[in-house]
Each structure stands twice: as C-alpha cells, then as structure tokens.
C-alpha cells in the first residue's frame, strides 16, 4: 500500500537475500494467505511453549520453532505476493498487519506468563510495540512511507531478542525474573526505565515529524497560491473636468 518501504535494521540485507532465495523455492500451490496463517500458527506455538516452560524448560524448543515459523510466514507472505505480482494492496495490507498485531500480542503475552519474564514488563513491552505500530501506520497514511525498523531493530531482530532472552534466562535461573531492587522486581524496574526512555524518544520523533510536515504543507500552500490579480472596476466611469463643465 505504501509507496516507499524502509528497512534499515541490522539484519535487513542478509534477510532480503534469504527471502529472495526462499521465495523462488516455494511450491506453486503456496499462497500469501497460507504463509500468513503459518505465521499465526508459529505465534500460537511460541506462546504455548512459553507457558509450558513452567513444567519443563525443554519446551523452549517449541518457543524457538514457533518464532522461526512466525518469521517464515510473516516475512514471506508479502514477498511472495510481490514476486508473483499478485498483490492485493488493501486486502493484503489489512490482513498482513492485523496478523502482525495478533502474533506479536500472543508472543509477548506468552513471554509474560513464562518463568523468564513478568506480566508488568510484558505489558510495557507490548504497549511500546503497539505505540510504534500505530506511528508506522500513521506515516503510511500521511506520507506513503512504511518504515519497518527503528534504531536498527525490526521484527526479525525482535524475535531473535525474545529467543535469546528466554534461553539466557533459562540458563541463569529464576533470579532473572524474581530478583529485587528494594521492594520492586528488578526486571520490572529495568524494563520500566527503558520503556520510559523509549517513550520520550517517541514523543521527540513525533514532534520532529509534526514540525517537518507543517513546514512542507506551508511551502506547498505558498507555491500553489494564485498570484494577486488586480481587480478591474465593474463600471468604467469617464473622468469629467468640473471646471470645464462649469465654464460651458
């Protein structure tokens, strides 16, 4: 739907090469909708795996597999549509990003219910994700620009970060999610601080974009405004010399 797609994440170049190789090898019966559904299945598997880690940490294998499936489906659905030139701009945009919102909610909430995180921290992370998603969709509407990453972090990097956190937390032990700073859970304090910094950065970005958009619109209005046209009188009244009239 957007005219310009921007992805300057850390793994963007390698990911584009991998997707280009994979999309050529997909069977002909595969459709973008199949891949979108597969991405959602991966998100469900990830969330279920996180919760099941309360019984045994071996369910981390399901978490990693689910994140991989989610990446595969979510990254390839649009790629396949563009490769085969079967894009459905409005439908595709709507279903793709609706699935993204559902999938990321499942993944983050599942992480919050796992032994490796806390619900307050997960809700903070999710709120920031939804905030940045809303900003992304606003830019699509106002500027036809679809930014897929911020600060080098995109969806792929986020999945890797989630998997790495779970694996490290499982190795370190319960202290990761139960350690305290005074009377507060240490993890919640750290995530809260990082979330506050991210929110302040978001407000600064929005303010900068508003100033830029305002300048651009004022310049466009000034360039398109018609030049002042001298108004001609409605009636042409001839000038009369009163002194000459009186003499006659």
């Amino acid at each position: 739907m957007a005219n310009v797609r921007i992805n300057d994440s850390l793994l963007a170049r390698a990911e584009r090469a991998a997707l280009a190789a994979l999309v050529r090898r997909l069977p002909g019966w595969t459709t973008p909708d199949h891949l979108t559904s597969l991405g959602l299945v991966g998100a469900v598997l990830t969330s279920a795996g996180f919760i099941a880690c309360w019984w045994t940490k071996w369910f981390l294998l399901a978490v990693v597999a689910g994140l991989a499936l989610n990446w595969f489906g979510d990254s390839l659905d649009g790629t396949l549509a563009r490769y085969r030139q079967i894009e459905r701009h409005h439908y595709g945009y709507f279903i793709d990003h609706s699935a993204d919102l559902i999938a990321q909610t499942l993944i983050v909430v599942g992480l919050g219910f796992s032994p490796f995180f806390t619900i307050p921290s997960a809700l903070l992370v999710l709120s920031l994700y939804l905030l940045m998603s809303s900003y992304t969709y606003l830019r699509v509407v106002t500027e036809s620009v679809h930014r897929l990453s911020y600060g080098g972090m995109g969806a792929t990097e986020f999945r890797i970060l989630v998997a790495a956190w779970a694996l490290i937390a499982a190795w370190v032990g319960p202290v990761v999610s139960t350690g305290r700073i005074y009377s507060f859970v240490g993890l919640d304090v750290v995530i809260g601080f990082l979330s506050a910094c991210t929110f302040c950065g978001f407000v600064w970005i929005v303010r900068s974009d508003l100033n830029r958009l305002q300048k651009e619109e004022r310049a466009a209005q000034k360039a398109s405004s018609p030049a002042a046209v001298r108004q001609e009188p409605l009636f042409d009244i001839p000038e009369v010399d009163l002194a000459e009239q009186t003499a006659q």
Side-chain angles (χ1 to χ4, degrees):
M1 186 175 180
N3 295 328
V4 180
R5 293 166 58 87
I6 301 174
N7 186 359
D8 52 8
S9 65
L10 298 174
L11 300 175
R13 182 175 298 181
E15 184 179 21
R16 281 193 292 268
L19 293 176
L22 287 170
V23 76
R24 290 193 293 267
R25 291 168 172 77
L26 290 174
W29 52 264
T30 307
T31 68
D33 285 352
H34 291 154
L35 294 169
T36 301
S37 300
L38 184 64
L40 285 173
V41 170
V44 172
L45 179 60
T46 301
S47 186
F50 271 134
I51 297 172
C53 282
W54 282 105
W55 286 272
T56 173
K57 293 177 183 177
W58 284 105
F59 278 106
L60 280 172
L61 295 174
V63 170
V64 174
L67 288 170
L69 277 179
N70 180 253
W71 171 82
F72 186 88
D74 179 52
S75 300
L76 274 173
D77 53 3
T79 304
L80 180 64
R82 289 186 292 274
Y83 177 73
R84 294 183 180 172
Q85 297 183 346
I86 54 174
E87 296 174 88
R88 295 167 293 177
H89 296 288
H90 295 289
Y91 174 85
Y93 182 85
F94 186 87
I95 191 173
D96 184 34
H97 295 291
S98 297
D100 286 347
L101 293 171
I102 294 170
Q104 296 303 326
T105 300
L106 287 171
I107 291 170
V108 176
V109 171
L111 175 63
F113 278 108
S114 76
F116 317 120
F117 221 60
T118 65
I119 287 295
S121 291
L123 293 179
L124 277 174
V125 171
L126 181 60
S127 66
L128 289 175
Y129 171 80
L130 296 177
L131 187 70
M132 297 309 296
S133 296
S134 301
Y135 169 72
T136 297
Y137 304 147
L138 283 174
R139 288 201 65 186
V140 170
V141 173
T142 58
E143 301 180 72
S144 295
V145 173
H146 189 181
R147 175 168 282 280
L148 301 172
S149 62
Y150 297 92
M153 178 72 68
T156 300
E157 289 77 10
F158 178 74
R159 295 183 187 96
I160 293 173
L161 183 62
V162 168
W165 174 269
L167 293 171
I168 292 171
W171 177 65
V172 172
V175 67
V176 172
S177 58
T178 59
R180 292 191 168 269
I181 298 177
Y182 296 106
S183 59
F184 301 98
V185 176
L187 179 63
D188 292 344
V189 173
V190 173
I191 295 297
F193 175 76
L194 294 175
S195 298
C197 293
T198 304
F199 182 79
C200 291
F202 170 78
V203 172
W204 182 83
I205 291 173
V206 170
R207 181 178 177 82
S208 299
D209 283 345
L210 283 174
N211 290 335
R212 177 176 52 80
L213 288 172
Q214 188 177 50
K215 290 178 181 178
E216 290 175 357
E217 289 191 351
R218 284 177 177 173
Q221 289 173 354
K222 186 176 180 180
S224 62
S225 61
V229 179
R230 188 172 66 87
Q231 296 292 330
E232 296 293 338
L234 293 177
F235 302 100
D236 188 10
I237 302 176
E239 293 183 2
V240 178
D241 189 339
L242 293 180
E244 182 182 346
Q245 238 182 17
T246 304
Q248 290 178 353

